[in-house]
Amino acid sequence: MHWYVDVLKKYAVFSGRARRQEYWMFTLFSLIISIVLTILDNALDINFLAGIYALAVLVPSLAVGVRRLHDTSRSGWWLLLVLIPFIGAIVLIVFFAIEGKPEANEYGPNPKHAPAV
């Protein structure tokens, strides 16, 4: 759970690097929370909880995605690939899943070896 909270603490930090574990754990917890809120929306016959949550985590989701791309030595602008139907999302999933560069790059030191802040 601390991976999820850490991303929220870095709400709009688009600089630096994010490990695969940080990105995927945030994505997993966000997905679980979204599913639970959608079920609650349907059960209570209200349709705004999941939408409010999606808006609340939009900026942290973008920020952790940019930091994850930085870990693979790619610019955050690669996130725009999501605008290309199907293929863009697949390419981004591959970028997010590959191992980060072990050495320091222009975006900072390897987060696996950096001390936790």
Side-chain angles (χ1 to χ4, degrees):
M1 187 71 176
H2 78 87
W3 293 106
Y4 179 80
V5 174
D6 286 347
V7 170
L8 293 179
K9 286 180 184 177
K10 300 177 190 173
Y11 189 81
V13 177
F14 289 87
S15 61
R17 295 168 63 172
R19 295 176 59 182
R20 280 186 296 185
Q21 186 174 12
E22 178 181 0
Y23 176 80
W24 288 111
M25 292 304 282
F26 176 78
T27 302
L28 174 67
F29 280 107
S30 282
L31 180 65
I32 291 169
I33 292 169
S34 293
I35 290 170
V36 169
L37 288 175
T38 301
I39 291 170
L40 277 174
D41 275 348
N42 291 334
L44 300 174
D45 200 28
I46 54 176
N47 292 315
F48 63 87
L49 293 177
I52 290 172
Y53 176 75
L55 285 174
V57 296
L58 177 65
V59 173
S61 298
L62 292 173
V64 76
V66 167
R67 289 195 313 271
R68 180 70 201 125
L69 288 169
H70 286 173
D71 194 38
T72 61
S73 293
R74 290 179 176 81
S75 168
W77 290 105
W78 281 94
L79 271 182
L80 294 176
L81 281 176
V82 79
L83 299 175
I84 302 171
F86 304 113
I87 295 172
I90 292 169
V91 170
L92 279 176
I93 289 171
V94 169
F95 286 168
F96 292 147
I98 62 176
E99 180 76 28
K101 301 297 179 190
E103 65 279 347
N105 62 20
E106 65 268 22
Y107 302 107
N110 186 345
K112 283 187 179 179
H113 306 300
V117 178

